[in-house]
Amino acid sequence: MKIIVANWKMNPQTIEEARQLASQIERGLLGVDRNKVETIICPPAVFIPAVRHLIDFAKLGAQNVSRESAGAFTGEISARQLAEFGVEYVIVGHSERRRMGGDDKVINRKIKQSLAEKLKPILCVGFGTKKSDSHTQIKNVITRQIKIGLAGAKQSRITIAYEPVWAISQGLGTGKAATPAHAAEIAKFIKLIVNRVLVLYGGSVDGKNAAEFAAEKIIDGALVGGASLVPLEFLKIIRAFANT
Ligand code: PGA
């Protein structure tokens, strides 16, 4: 089973747009073999209540979770609160959040909070604002991110998204995807250091390049930012992975 995650980030701006986006993706999934690909929509937290009632084929995810379980933590949202709204997955350790603070130990606490509420974490790892970073550097950083991030976390299957920072379509990224061969090499490496793991690739995946990533069998899916805001484009990605 392949996994495609829509990370809407801080988009869209209105509840109506969020509803339309979710409904269009959901309608598109009618024509997709859903035994082959699971689609997860991660809207901004405030839109979760609206989006949850519009999706059925797609699963609901959150973009972040608090490291704390409850209490005086202004602005935070707990794993339990997310679970109350039907959230099943949570993105943890996205590079854009890592930049706002939170080291690997904080990410580890978020993973544990998620698992305690039976949410499935999608741990993001990645490195570098330059394409020239060496494979050794990349492997050292993601090994640390994985070892500390998943320390003591017990779950039968974990999902890791490899996202080179430079490959993300906006923000610090260049908008140029990594090569499928590079993504496949890192996926293979991650599978050597973690048991029973699904590895997604993220960073400028779009309707045009999705089939090339899908052709690398070791890659279990994609974490999609920008292109997940354009339903036709996003559905092309889903179909590319469903057709492998
Ligand atoms: P992108 O974002 O697809 O817009 O590059 C991916 C991500 O940051 O999750």
Side-chain angles (χ1 to χ4, degrees):
M1 172 78 103
K2 301 287 178 178
I3 294 185
I4 305 296
V5 185
N7 177 14
W8 288 358
K9 308 193 179 183
M10 202 165 71
N11 301 296
Q13 298 309 308
T14 69
I15 196 165
E16 194 42 46
E17 287 170 291
R19 283 198 181 111
Q20 280 179 18
L21 205 45
S23 304
Q24 284 169 12
I25 294 170
E26 182 72 13
R27 263 201 306 279
L29 288 176
L30 264 175
V32 170
D33 184 347
R34 297 181 300 277
N35 291 319
K36 293 214 170 135
V37 57
E38 175 146 278
T39 303
I40 302 159
I41 300 180
C42 303
V46 284
F47 293 150
I48 285 173
V51 165
R52 81 180 280 211
H53 296 296
L54 298 171
I55 59 174
D56 182 20
F57 301 141
K59 306 285 183 230
L60 194 56
Q63 298 174 15
N64 187 31
V65 63
S66 178
R67 73 182 100 164
E68 307 290 346
S69 55
F73 302 101
T74 303
E76 290 288 277
I77 299 175
S78 72
R80 175 70 208 276
Q81 290 167 336
L82 293 174
E84 279 287 302
F85 283 85
V87 169
E88 288 182 53
Y89 288 84
V90 59
I91 298 172
V92 177
H94 191 281
S95 58
E96 288 156 14
R97 293 229 53 98
R98 287 180 191 258
R99 277 179 65 216
M100 292 176 215
D103 58 13
D104 292 310
K105 288 197 176 135
V106 168
I107 286 163
N108 179 249
R109 290 178 61 188
K110 293 182 176 195
I111 296 267
K112 287 179 174 161
Q113 289 290 347
S114 308
L115 293 174
E117 295 300 333
K118 306 224 168 1
L119 301 180
K120 296 176 198 149
I122 300 165
L123 172 65
C124 294
V125 300
F127 168 66
T129 49
K130 293 193 303 300
K131 208 173 173 174
S132 56
D133 296 321
S134 75
H135 279 197
T136 312
Q137 273 177 307
I138 297 168
K139 287 175 180 171
N140 286 343
V141 172
I142 65 177
T143 300
R144 189 201 70 223
Q145 290 174 334
I146 290 172
K147 288 256 155 78
I148 304 176
L150 295 182
K154 291 194 186 59
Q155 102 141 8
S156 57
R157 192 178 273 280
I158 191 94
T159 305
I160 293 181
Y162 169 57
E163 298 207 305
V165 177
W166 58 262
I168 291 175
S169 72
Q170 288 176 334
L172 284 184
T174 59
K176 294 200 174 64
T179 62
H182 170 75
E185 183 191 329
I186 301 295
K188 192 169 167 197
F189 174 72
I190 292 173
K191 288 181 183 193
L192 286 176
I193 58 174
V194 189
N195 287 331
R196 294 176 54 73
V197 67
L198 294 172
V199 182
L200 316 182
Y201 166 75
S204 298
V205 177
D206 58 26
K208 286 197 202 80
N209 62 24
E212 293 168 39
F213 285 101
E216 298 283 355
K217 297 281 183 271
I218 197 152
I219 300 174
D220 298 299
L223 178 47
V224 185
S228 73
L229 298 167
V230 186
L232 286 179
E233 191 78 1
F234 187 55
L235 285 157
K236 274 189 202 161
I237 299 170
I238 295 170
R239 280 195 292 269
F241 278 87
N243 289 338
T244 55

